[in-house]
Amino acid sequence: MAYPPRLAHLATRPVVVAKLIPTYARAHHIDEDEAAQRLSSALQGRLLPWLLEEAWTAMRGKSKRLDDEGLVEKVATTLKDRPTRPGRVAELNPAWSAFLVLADLEAGTASEAARRVMESPEGRERAQAGLAEVGRFLAAELTRGR
């Protein structure tokens, strides 16, 4: 784990789910309650630490003047009043689509054909690009505001 443990204490599963719900719901044409259930299920395993890793990498790359402790403090300040404030709706692109398939696989709602595609070398590459893209989105959501 290359991100600080405190980040995981701040950006908990409910917080990350809240940030991703609007985009997930719109992409799947489902209501936000269903999106929350699916995302919560998807983030129970390895997907949450992977996302936090990518978000941390994005935060560190974006902020030149804050050290690691300062970045974590910025996340704490952003989440202080409304930690489960819904995130913005992201513009979908191929990387986001790959992440959505990955989330569906983790939630158990994707087809076997989708699993086979994501297990191919190109699928793994696209999944990594999706994690990086959503990590950047999450980093922006966790540090916006004050």
Side-chain angles (χ1 to χ4, degrees), residues 2 43 52 125-126 130 135:
L43 294 174
L52 291 179
E125 187 178 306
R126 288 185 185 267

Side-chain angles (χ1 to χ4, degrees), residues 37-98:
Q37 288 176 338
R38 288 185 190 183
L39 280 168
S40 185
S41 176
L43 294 174
Q44 282 184 6
R46 59 192 176 172
L47 194 54
L48 180 59
W50 288 347
L51 268 180
L52 291 179
E53 181 85 33
E54 292 295 338
W56 182 248
T57 300
M59 281 184 239
R60 290 185 78 202
K62 196 169 98 174
S63 178
K64 303 293 183 224
R65 39 171 236 236
L66 292 176
D67 62 2
D68 288 359
E69 191 170 315
L71 278 173
V72 172
E73 239 358 92
K74 184 166 179 141
V75 171
T77 301
T78 300
L79 297 176
K80 182 177 146 193
D81 295 330
R82 290 183 59 203
T84 56
R85 175 183 180 193
R88 297 178 180 150
V89 177
E91 190 70 36
L92 293 181
N93 58 35
W96 259 99
S97 296

Side-chain angles (χ1 to χ4, degrees), residues 127-142:
Q128 187 56 46
L131 283 167
E133 177 78 15
V134 177
R136 287 188 293 275
F137 171 82
L138 188 59
E141 289 294 315
L142 293 173

